[in-house]
C-alpha cells in the first residue's frame, strides 16, 4: 500500500471533513469518499465502507467532530453531542475500538466544556488527528515485536483483513507480516478468503500484491489441508475485542483456524493494540457478537447461491479461547493471554 491514510481528517474551510477509502469497492475500484455529516459516518461504519476495528475507532472519532459541527448553533450543544455519540456507538457492536475512541472524544468534551463551541470543535479535531497518527506508530511497533517471532521462510496464515485498510495505516497482523518481509523476503502469506464478505480475498491480497509480498489465496475450508502438508509455520490474525482473560473476538472463522493450528502444533498469535483490549469484561462470554444480514451469505455477485426460503444465520465474529492463543502482540510487547493486566498496571 502507498503511505496514504485509509481514513483521515482533511482540514478545509473552517473545520474540514473525513476522507476515507470506500472498502466495499476494492479490488475493482480504489475510491475515496468525503464524509461530511455524522449520519453518513454512522452509515459508512454500518455498511462497512470503513471497517476493521482500529479504522472504525477513528471513524467514530471523526463522527464526533462532524456531529459537533452540525450541532454548533444548538443551545444544549453538549447534551445533544452526547446523544450523537451514543448513536455512533450503536453502528457496530463487537469492535471495542469504537467505544474506546468515542470515550477519548468524551474526555476532550469534559475537559474543554467551558470553552466556546468553536474551540471545543477544534480540540475534538486535534484529538482525532492525534489518534490517527498514533495508530500508525502503534502498528509499526506491533509489527516489530511480532516480526522476531516468525521462523525464517515461514508460511504465514492470516484471516480477514487486519492490514492498512483495517487501520489508519500499516496494519496489525499485516503489520507483523510487513515487518517480517523487510528482513525475510522468502516468506509466503496464505490469505483466507473470509466468507461471507471476503475481506481476505478482496482486501488482504490487494494490499499484499501492491506491496510485492508473496501471497497465496485459499478458501476458508482449506487451512487444515495446508497445515497438515507442512506449509504453514505461523498464524497471525487481528482482533475486534480481547477480554481481560485473553479470549479474543475476531472475524468469524478465526477460532476454527486456532483449533486447527493447535492440533498441528503451529503457533497461533493475535496482533492488536491496547485499545482492542477490554479489561471491563471477564471473558469472551461477555462479548456481543454482531449478527449481520442473511443476504451476505445467500447472495454472491447479485445472484442467490441457495434455494429461496432457506434458513441462514450470519454471525460476523467468533471468540477464540485464550488457551489456543500462544501470544498477543501489542505495541507494549508480546503477552500471554493471562498477562494482559501488565499492560494496564
Ligand atoms: O467485519 P470487519 O471487516 O470489520 O472485521 C474485521 C476483523 O475481524 C479484523 O480482523 C479486526 O477488526 C482486526 S483489524 C486490525
Amino acid at each position: 500500500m502507498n503511505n496514504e491514510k485509509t481514513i483521515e481528517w482533511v482540514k478545509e474551510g473552517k473545520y474540514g471533513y473525513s476522507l476515507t477509502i470506500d472498502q466495499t469497492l476494492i479490488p475493482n475500484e480504489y475510491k475515496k469518499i468525503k464524509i461530511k455529516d455524522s449520519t453518513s459516518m454512522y452509515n459508512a461504519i454500518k455498511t462497512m465502507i470503513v471497517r476493521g476495528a482500529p479504522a472504525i475507532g477513528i471513524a467514530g472519532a471523526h463522527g464526533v467532530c462532524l456531529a459537533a459541527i452540525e450541532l454548533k448553533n444548538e443551545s444544549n450543544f453538549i447534551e445533544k453531542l452526547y446523544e450523537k455519540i451514543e448513536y455512533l456507538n450503536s453502528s457496530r457492536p463487537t469492535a471495542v475500538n469504537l467505544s474506546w475512541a468515542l470515550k477519548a472524544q468524551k474526555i476532550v468534551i469534559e475537559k474543554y466544556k467551558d470553552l466556546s463551541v468553536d474551540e471545543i470543535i477544534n480540540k475534538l479535531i486535534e484529538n482525532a488527528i492525534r489518534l490517527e497518527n498514533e495508530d500508525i506508530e502503534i502498528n509499526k511497533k506491533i509489527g516489530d515485536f511480532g516480526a522476531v517471532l516468525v521462523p525464517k521462510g515461514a508460511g504465514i496464515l492470516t484471516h480477514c483483513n487486519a492490514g492498512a485498510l483495517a487501520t489508519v495505516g500499516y496494519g496489525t497482523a499485516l503489520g507483523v507480516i510487513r515487518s517480517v518481509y523487510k528482513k525475510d523476503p522468502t516468506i509466503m502469506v496464505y490469505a483466507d478468503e473470509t466468507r461471507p464478505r471476503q475481506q481476505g480475498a478482496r482486501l488482504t491480497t490487494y494490499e499484499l500484491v501492491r506491496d510485492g509480498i508473496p501471497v497465496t489465496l485459499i478458501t476458508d475450508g482449506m487451512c487444515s489441508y495446508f497445515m497438515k502438508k507442512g506449509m504453514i509455520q505461523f498464524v497471525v490474525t487481528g482482533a475486534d475485542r480481547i477480554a481481560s482473560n485473553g479470549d479474543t473476538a475476531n472475524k468469524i472463522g478465526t477460532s476454527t483456524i486456532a483449533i486447527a493450528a493447535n492440533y498441528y502444533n503451529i503457533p497461533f498469535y493475535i496482533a492488536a493494540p491496547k485499545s482492542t483490549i477490554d479489561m471491563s469484561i471477564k471473558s469472551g462470554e461477555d462479548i456481543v457478537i454482531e449478527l449481520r444480514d442473511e443476504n451476505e451469505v445467500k447472495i454472491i455477485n447479485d445472484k442467490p447461491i441457495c434455494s429461496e426460503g432457506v434458513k441462514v444465520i450470519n454471525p460476523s465474529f467468533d471468540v477464540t479461547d485464550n488457551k489456543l492463543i500462544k501470544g498477543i502482540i501489542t505495541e507494549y510487547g508480546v503477552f500471554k493471554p493471562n498477562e494482559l493486566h501488565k499492560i494496564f498496571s
Side-chain angles (χ1 to χ4, degrees):
M1 293 287 286
N2 51 34
N3 284 327
E4 277 184 69
K5 290 176 171 177
T6 294
I7 178 163
E8 67 184 316
W9 187 266
V10 175
K11 286 189 179 165
E12 190 189 85
K14 196 158 184 212
Y15 304 115
Y17 57 85
S18 179
L19 184 69
T20 185
I21 299 171
D22 184 344
Q23 298 192 41
T24 61
L25 302 176
I26 291 177
N28 299 311
E29 200 182 333
Y30 179 91
K31 187 176 153 195
K32 289 198 170 186
I33 58 164
K34 294 177 182 177
I35 300 179
K36 294 188 165 180
D37 63 89
S38 61
T39 307
S40 303
M41 184 57 87
Y42 172 94
N43 289 330
I45 298 171
K46 196 164 184 70
T47 61
M48 295 171 67
I49 285 171
V50 54
R51 39 66 52 198
I56 292 174
I58 301 303
H62 287 183
V64 179
C65 301
L66 295 169
I69 297 165
E70 279 152 42
L71 296 169
K72 67 180 188 301
N73 296 324
E74 300 276 337
S75 53
N76 41 2
F77 170 75
I78 302 272
E79 195 186 310
K80 290 217 160 126
L81 189 51
Y82 273 101
E83 282 169 18
K84 282 280 185 185
I85 291 175
E86 285 318 304
Y87 163 71
L88 288 163
N89 200 27
S90 67
S91 55
R92 290 192 78 189
T94 304
V96 72
N97 306 62
L98 177 59
S99 53
W100 172 86
L102 294 174
K103 195 169 156 201
Q105 291 291 53
K106 277 188 195 167
I107 292 169
V108 170
I109 297 166
E110 275 308 304
K111 188 167 171 194
Y112 297 110
K113 64 174 186 281
D114 296 330
L115 298 184
S116 70
V117 167
D118 190 51
E119 284 166 316
I120 297 173
I121 295 172
N122 282 314
K123 293 286 181 196
L124 288 168
I125 293 171
E126 250 173 53
N127 195 42
I129 295 171
R130 179 185 65 79
L131 293 174
E132 281 171 27
N133 294 329
E134 264 180 24
D135 181 69
I136 299 175
E137 292 317 308
I138 287 168
N139 294 336
K140 289 189 173 159
K141 285 185 190 156
I142 291 173
D144 292 341
F145 280 123
V148 297
L149 305 169
V150 180
K152 190 160 173 39
I156 307 171
L157 176 66
T158 190
H159 188 61
C160 194
N161 173 266
L165 290 165
T167 60
V168 179
Y170 204 68
T172 55
L174 291 196
V176 172
I177 287 167
R178 286 193 163 91
S179 295
V180 179
Y181 180 73
K182 280 182 203 155
K183 62 184 181 81
D184 179 10
T186 67
I187 56 165
M188 170 56 75
V189 180
Y190 292 87
D192 261 357
E193 178 192 14
T194 317
R195 276 283 287 149
R197 299 218 23 151
Q198 293 148 323
Q199 292 93 326
R202 294 189 303 105
L203 309 176
T204 294
T205 67
Y206 179 87
E207 286 194 30
L208 295 178
V209 166
R210 253 141 212 83
D211 277 8
I213 299 176
V215 56
T216 302
L217 174 63
I218 65 175
T219 67
D220 297 349
M222 294 177 186
C223 77
S224 100
Y225 173 90
F226 288 103
M227 288 177 180
K228 190 171 184 177
K229 276 202 166 296
M231 292 166 76
I232 292 166
Q233 284 72 37
F234 193 86
V235 184
V236 61
T237 76
D240 288 84
R241 190 183 294 243
I242 303 173
S244 58
N245 71 344
D247 286 349
T248 295
N250 191 51
K251 181 53 56 197
I252 191 79
T254 304
S255 73
T256 316
I257 295 169
I259 292 164
N262 275 260
Y263 181 80
Y264 290 110
N265 241 337
I266 299 165
F268 176 91
Y269 282 91
I270 295 290
K274 183 182 177 186
S275 55
T276 304
I277 303 169
D278 185 351
M279 291 305 275
S280 75
I281 56 169
K282 275 200 191 132
S283 77
E285 292 284 309
D286 304 319
I287 299 176
V288 176
I289 300 293
E290 177 183 14
L291 287 175
R292 293 189 63 88
D293 192 318
E294 59 179 45
N295 285 333
E296 290 183 350
V297 176
K298 284 162 85 171
I299 295 170
I300 295 184
N301 290 341
D302 298 327
K303 290 212 165 68
I305 56 156
C306 55
S307 301
E308 210 178 309
V310 71
K311 182 173 160 54
V312 171
I313 310 176
N314 184 18
S316 193
F317 302 94
D318 61 20
V319 174
T320 299
D321 287 352
N322 55 10
K323 57 178 177 290
L324 301 173
I325 300 167
K326 173 123 186 182
I328 297 172
I329 308 163
T330 74
E331 68 272 36
Y332 295 93
V334 184
F335 297 86
K336 293 203 169 68
N338 64 3
E339 292 178 337
L340 292 176
H341 59 275
K342 290 185 183 169
I343 303 176
F344 293 84
S345 55

